[in-house]
Amino acid sequence: MACFSCPTRTVVVVLISLLFMISTSLIDVSASNFYQDFDITWGDGRAKVLNDGELLTLSIDKASGSGFQSKNEYLFGKIDMQLKLVPGNSAGTVTAYYLSSQGSTHDEIDFEFLGNLSGDPYIVHTNVFTQGKGSREQQFYLWFDPTADFHTYSVLWNPQTIIFYVDGTPIRVFKNSESQGVPYPKNQPMRVYASLWNADDWATRGGLVKTDWTKAPFTAAFRNFTATACVWSAGKSSCSSTNSNSTKNSWLWQELDSASQARLKWVQNNYMVYNYCTDTKRFPQGLPPECTLINS
């Protein structure tokens, strides 16, 4: 018969509880409250936090756009945000949601949603900067109307790979190609940013379609931010002692399984608009070295 009152068992239970508390404290898992997690950084009142912090809206008119950033910096993480994009004729506008460090050699992981004429599909523009170098664009159409409801856009960023997800479906992978001399974002902590701004010099049909300011203000909405991530504070990561065998921290070494690879291929076969890794005219001297590893 088990002895539930035995001192030895009590000590074991206490130790297990303490270990659980230590392991869970290494990873920050935060369900969004925009008052607590973000700062509005620009827009002169065009960014608004609503519903007791559960919703944030960004707006743009001819005078200005708006934006916000996370209070925390992260060095690796699984970042989720639900967005509802500008409806109707949003041509010329860009809704940006991204991670970035600072400085001329910054790292950055981008979702940018390029506005459209009414009835035309949004283009999701993605990019990865490493040590200040970008030019790694991939663009996609979506298989739904992103203005009709909220959808989840996610970035998984760990030491091995960066994966872009839409509603849990992977659309892009950028693998660690340091072995080929390609810098990988692994040393610079990044904040989460979002902005709504005017880019009618390039965003819609290469700048041919301009923003119709008679339709302003244009508004996008954000909710349900979640960061399962390593928080960077005082020069240290909260994951520095993370147990790599912990199921809770499995995202730190997660890569695509066979089912996810099939879904990625489905998206890229059916919805990809542009891939820098196939643009031989842009790179006449040869494609960037990381292109040999993309989707491999």
Side-chain angles (χ1 to χ4, degrees), residues 56-204:
L56 193 153
T57 60
L58 296 179
S59 293
I60 182 174
D61 54 32
K62 195 169 186 178
S64 177
S66 51
F68 63 87
Q69 70 180 39
S70 64
K71 294 180 185 294
N72 283 331
E73 292 182 288
Y74 305 100
L75 188 60
F76 304 127
K78 174 68 161 52
I79 308 297
D80 304 294
M81 184 85 80
Q82 289 193 323
L83 279 71
K84 186 176 181 181
L85 299 180
V86 175
N89 182 0
S90 57
T93 68
V94 172
T95 304
Y97 156 57
Y98 60 104
L99 286 79
S100 183
S101 60
Q102 297 297 308
S104 60
T105 59
H106 73 291
D107 297 329
E108 187 171 320
I109 304 169
D110 292 341
F111 273 108
E112 290 184 310
F113 303 90
L114 311 186
N116 60 6
L117 291 169
S118 298
D120 291 343
Y122 261 82
I123 288 179
V124 181
H125 177 99
T126 66
N127 205 352
V128 177
F129 286 74
T130 60
Q131 297 185 12
K133 180 183 181 298
S135 300
R136 300 186 176 99
E137 301 90 347
Q138 290 185 2
Q139 296 181 338
F140 307 85
Y141 289 131
L142 293 169
W143 48 96
F144 52 82
D145 179 357
T147 73
D149 203 350
F150 286 90
H151 292 269
T152 303
Y153 304 90
S154 309
V155 171
L156 172 68
W157 168 39
N158 65 31
Q160 296 80 236
T161 191
I162 295 166
I163 306 174
F164 295 75
Y165 292 91
V166 176
D167 287 338
T169 294
I171 65 169
R172 177 176 185 177
V173 174
F174 182 83
K175 294 185 178 182
N176 186 331
S177 303
E178 288 181 308
S179 62
Q180 297 193 23
V182 181
Y184 184 80
K186 67 175 188 179
N187 298 314
Q188 301 187 69
M190 297 195 251
R191 295 186 192 273
V192 179
Y193 295 85
S195 58
L196 179 55
W197 53 288
N198 180 42
D200 67 3
D201 58 332
W202 68 273
T204 307

Side-chain angles (χ1 to χ4, degrees), residues 4-19:
F4 291 97
S5 61
C6 292
T8 301
R9 183 179 181 87
T10 301
V11 170
V12 170
V13 170
V14 170
L15 286 174
I16 291 173
S17 298
L18 286 172
L19 287 171

Side-chain angles (χ1 to χ4, degrees), residues 230-242:
C230 306
V231 176
W232 185 265
S233 179
K236 294 182 179 179
S237 168
S238 60
C239 295
S240 58
S241 302
T242 299

Side-chain angles (χ1 to χ4, degrees), residues 24-38 53-54 70-74 76-82 97 192 223-232 238 248 251:
T24 55
S25 68
L26 294 171
I27 302 292
D28 177 69
V29 182
S30 57
S32 72
N33 182 294
F34 284 101
Y35 286 122
Q36 297 176 5
D37 298 333
F38 290 90
E54 294 182 357
S70 64
K71 294 180 185 294
N72 283 331
E73 292 182 288
Y74 305 100
F76 304 127
K78 174 68 161 52
I79 308 297
D80 304 294
M81 184 85 80
Q82 289 193 323
Y97 156 57
V192 179
R223 72 179 188 188
N224 290 345
F225 165 75
T226 304
T228 306
C230 306
V231 176
W232 185 265
S238 60
K248 179 180 178 63
W251 62 268

